[in-house]
Amino acid sequence: MGNGFQVQERFAEGAQYIGGRLRRGTSGHDQEVVDPSTGTTVLRYELAGTDDVDAAVAAAREAFPGWSGLTPGERSDALHRFAAVLAEQADDFAYAESLQCGKPLKLSTEFDVPGTVDNASFFAGAARHLEGRSAGEYSGDHTSYVRREPIGVVGSIAPWNYPLQMAAWKILPAVAAGNTIVLKPAEITPLTSLMFAQAATEAGIPDGVINIVSGAGRDAGEHLVGHPDVVMTSFTGSTAVGKRVAEIATSTVKRLHLELGGKAPFLVFDDADLDAAVNGAVAASLINTGQDCTAATRAYVQRPLYDAFVEGVAALMESVRLGAPFDPSTDLGPLITHQQRDRVAGFVERARAYATVVTGGEAPGGELAAGAYYRPTLIADAAQDSEVVTAEIFGPVLVVLPFDTDDEGIALANDTPYGLAASAWSRDLYRANRATREIAAGCVWINDHIPIISEMPHGGYKASGFGKDMSSYSFEEYTQVKHVMYDNTAVVRKDWHRTVFGDR
């Protein structure tokens, strides 16, 4: 293959990573990893069954005392070595990510992989700053302090749109805090999650700290979430599946972190830099072929700029180059599967009955016909309550609607069950500030849309879930807070004992 990376050879021993080694799944069912740009199979492997999940959880449970017992500095050193190994293998990670997802190589090389290396470096440092509140005599007779402790074995489930980054977002804060983990990646995109765990082993992270089970959601996923030895579940995916994960997790009283769907508004006020907004809208709606929970999906444009915005976005979308993932000139790759491509196309075809497809709205032919490609699509004239405005399409589709007053624009932006991300475009500080206060979303960008950084939290409001990935805030998900209280008086009979026996 292109860079010498041989998938079949790399995973000849299986696509489960348990206790520091690859092994075959035991479900009795095979799964194909397919290159969505051509429809060809790049790996066939045996899916994980419940026995594999049990083995992975057992390995994580066995590794927990040793890993959690290390000093923060020792865990930090291990994660720094891990970041270095990831950086050394950057080309292989980028190649494998593009192969299994259809991402343009420039996206994997410039976004997915360096973001993951940076995450590892960040959590290597953050591992040394897991602090509780300093001591104090809050009752007068006692000294109190707070310990922050790891919680145990984490069972996490990651999606297919950013397999490498999602593996990192789940694994790194968990292990930095002293936990061990079993991760179930999407069964159609397990390659880079497995490579991530292998790289951890190469960096000297002990066997069993990071385990990967590549299995189906209804089998391996549900068994992992319901496992009695798993104390927490972190899930990223659709809101519908998130509800099922929550049902299972709450039935066993697990801690739960959910990062679910989104329908991000892109709010353009009439004083915005029009060229910046047009460029930002196209980039933010087409990143990863629109398969991004934070992608711009609903553009609300104040009426004085509306026509020019529609014209500018349509023209720029038409210049975007669809092509093979490993062609350096490719801007936009395929969707993850032909099934997903057809789902996206279905939304657009139904919209023709009530809206205007300004550009796109079709799969390309010719050399790209075998892949799951779909042209960048702009839809106008849709009603606020129409399907393309309310439902998560998860493809290269942007819907644009006009608004008149600032009040109306913010109300339209908030008119959704989701609340993961949003952006507002304005040169007016007060307008922008109002948008950041009043838009109900976990991230609000001003005059940009999409950038994320390791130091800042990622997570949503409302039906987009709860809890945070990345940043030191993510440790709130992966640690227990314990209050420790010492008596300072050495008095045998405390004054408060009279409430139980005796008089003052």
Side-chain angles (χ1 to χ4, degrees):
M1 293 186 180
N3 71 341
F5 183 89
Q6 300 291 333
V7 175
Q8 295 285 353
E9 291 180 10
R10 180 71 177 257
F11 302 108
E13 297 176 20
Q16 317 301 326
Y17 198 76
I18 299 171
R21 67 179 183 88
L22 288 170
R23 53 189 275 181
R24 299 184 187 280
T26 62
S27 70
H29 302 287
D30 287 352
Q31 173 68 43
E32 292 182 343
V33 178
V34 176
D35 175 355
S37 69
T38 61
T40 58
T41 298
V42 298
L43 178 70
R44 182 187 295 273
Y45 72 92
E46 299 88 350
L47 285 165
T50 57
D51 288 348
D52 303 303
V53 173
D54 290 342
V57 172
R61 188 178 181 187
E62 182 179 356
F64 176 71
W67 181 249
S68 63
L70 295 178
T71 66
E74 289 169 328
R75 286 198 297 271
S76 175
D77 289 346
L79 289 172
H80 276 301
R81 295 193 301 270
F82 187 19
V85 173
L86 292 172
E88 290 168 4
Q89 298 178 10
D91 288 347
D92 282 350
F93 274 102
Y95 181 83
E97 192 77 339
S98 288
L99 185 66
Q100 68 181 351
C101 297
K103 297 172 187 280
L105 188 60
K106 67 179 180 181
L107 178 63
S108 296
T109 301
E110 298 176 24
F111 185 75
D112 298 69
V113 174
T116 299
V117 174
D118 186 70
N119 269 198
S121 295
F122 170 81
F123 280 107
R128 302 186 79 129
H129 297 282
L130 278 165
E131 300 170 349
R133 186 170 294 172
S134 59
E137 286 68 50
Y138 298 99
S139 78
D141 291 337
H142 306 82
T143 295
S144 288
Y145 69 88
V146 170
R147 290 177 57 88
R148 188 178 289 277
E149 299 178 345
I151 57 177
V153 176
V154 177
S156 293
I157 299 176
W160 47 257
N161 57 336
Y162 290 104
L164 176 58
Q165 289 204 85
M166 293 300 98
W169 287 17
K170 300 299 181 198
I171 291 170
L172 290 168
V175 301
N179 303 289
T180 56
I181 189 168
V182 179
L183 175 76
K184 192 200 86 65
E187 62 268 33
I188 60 175
T189 55
L191 303 184
T192 47
S193 298
L194 292 163
M195 293 166 61
F196 191 79
Q198 289 177 308
T201 299
E202 291 177 41
I205 292 177
D207 294 348
V209 172
I210 299 171
N211 306 275
I212 307 294
V213 288
S214 306
R218 289 191 178 277
D219 299 320
E222 293 198 1
H223 191 66
L224 177 62
V225 174
H227 199 288
D229 291 333
V230 169
V231 299
M232 174 192 165
T233 289
S234 176
F235 170 80
T236 296
S238 71
T239 297
V241 178
K243 290 177 180 178
R244 175 60 180 158
V245 169
E247 289 174 2
I248 300 170
T250 53
S251 70
T252 52
V253 199
K254 283 180 174 47
R255 185 177 294 198
L256 186 60
H257 165 221
L258 298 174
E259 198 264 89
L260 307 177
K263 191 70 178 175
F266 187 99
L267 186 61
V268 182
F269 293 105
D270 58 15
D271 68 329
D273 182 324
L274 178 62
D275 288 341
V278 165
N279 280 270
V282 173
S285 62
L286 300 185
I287 179 112
N288 203 34
T289 318
Q291 299 167 126
D292 187 312
C293 294
T294 64
T297 59
R298 300 177 291 137
Y300 296 103
V301 183
Q302 207 151 24
R303 209 169 292 275
L305 295 185
Y306 179 78
D307 289 340
F309 180 88
V310 171
E311 181 180 348
V313 168
L316 190 53
M317 278 187 168
E318 288 166 5
S319 73
V320 171
R321 300 164 297 184
L322 277 69
F326 299 104
D327 184 335
S329 68
T330 292
D331 295 323
L332 198 72
L335 285 105
I336 189 66
T337 62
H338 287 78
Q339 181 183 13
Q340 178 65 11
R341 191 270 311 275
D342 294 344
R343 179 180 176 275
V344 170
F347 278 103
V348 177
E349 290 309 306
R350 291 189 296 274
R352 294 184 191 277
Y354 57 80
T356 302
V357 177
V358 180
T359 190
E362 63 180 6
E367 295 179 355
L368 303 180
Y373 290 90
Y374 198 75
R375 293 195 187 282
T377 300
L378 180 65
I379 297 175
D381 306 320
Q384 175 67 11
D385 62 354
S386 61
E387 181 186 49
V388 289
V389 176
T390 60
E392 189 174 26
I393 298 173
F394 226 57
V397 179
L398 177 65
V399 184
V400 58
L401 301 91
F403 70 93
D404 292 302
T405 67
D406 290 16
D407 288 348
E408 180 190 9
I410 290 174
L412 289 169
N414 283 332
D415 184 21
T416 176
Y418 301 109
L420 186 58
S423 65
W425 298 72
S426 173
R427 292 184 174 98
D428 186 313
L429 173 65
Y430 298 98
R431 249 179 173 173
N433 242 341
R434 180 189 176 190
T436 65
R437 293 193 308 271
E438 297 186 15
I439 293 176
C443 176
V444 180
W445 293 283
I446 298 298
N447 296 324
D448 207 345
H449 192 120
I450 286 296
I452 52 176
I453 50 175
S454 297
E455 291 83 357
M456 289 291 111
H458 177 86
Y461 287 21
K462 302 187 291 186
S464 290
F466 47 81
K468 299 299 179 185
D469 287 310
M470 297 201 300
S471 82
S472 294
Y473 290 98
S474 66
F475 287 138
E476 301 300 324
E477 319 303 326
Y478 297 101
T479 56
Q480 298 271 23
V481 172
K482 177 188 288 183
H483 171 215
V484 178
M485 181 179 260
Y486 285 91
D487 170 59
N488 292 328
T489 67
V491 173
V492 173
R493 187 152 181 170
K494 317 294 186 189
D495 189 48
W496 71 266
H497 291 179
R498 72 182 186 278
T499 62
V500 180
F501 55 85
D503 301 319
R504 182 183 293 275

